[in-house]
Amino acid sequence: MEQKTRQLHRISVSEAAKALDMCADSVRYMVKKGTLPIGKAMEGRGRTTYYLYREFLEDYMEGRQK
């Protein structure tokens, strides 16, 4: 069975915050805690890097509206 992979497009924390109508700190907190499934937070070298994806955000927002 052939499995199709979907290309993901990264977005910034500020882009996600604007789309969700919340502050960037809330997005960071929720992604880090795992309550906002639009990407992941990777800690290292004294800082956290956020990998957020437009497709995951769209899926989340679509599910939230149902």
Side-chain angles (χ1 to χ4, degrees), residues 1-48:
M1 183 174 184
E2 186 177 322
Q3 189 175 18
K4 292 185 178 185
T5 56
R6 161 167 97 162
Q7 184 174 351
L8 299 175
H9 300 90
R10 285 187 59 188
I11 58 171
S12 68
V13 171
S14 61
E15 287 176 285
K18 184 175 180 181
L20 293 166
D21 194 28
M22 60 174 58
C23 71
D25 286 338
S26 294
V27 170
R28 287 185 193 94
Y29 177 80
M30 293 174 71
V31 168
K32 202 170 191 177
K33 290 293 184 184
T35 58
L36 183 59
I38 63 169
K40 60 185 173 183
M42 302 290 291
E43 295 189 40
R45 295 188 182 190
R47 64 181 287 180
T48 305

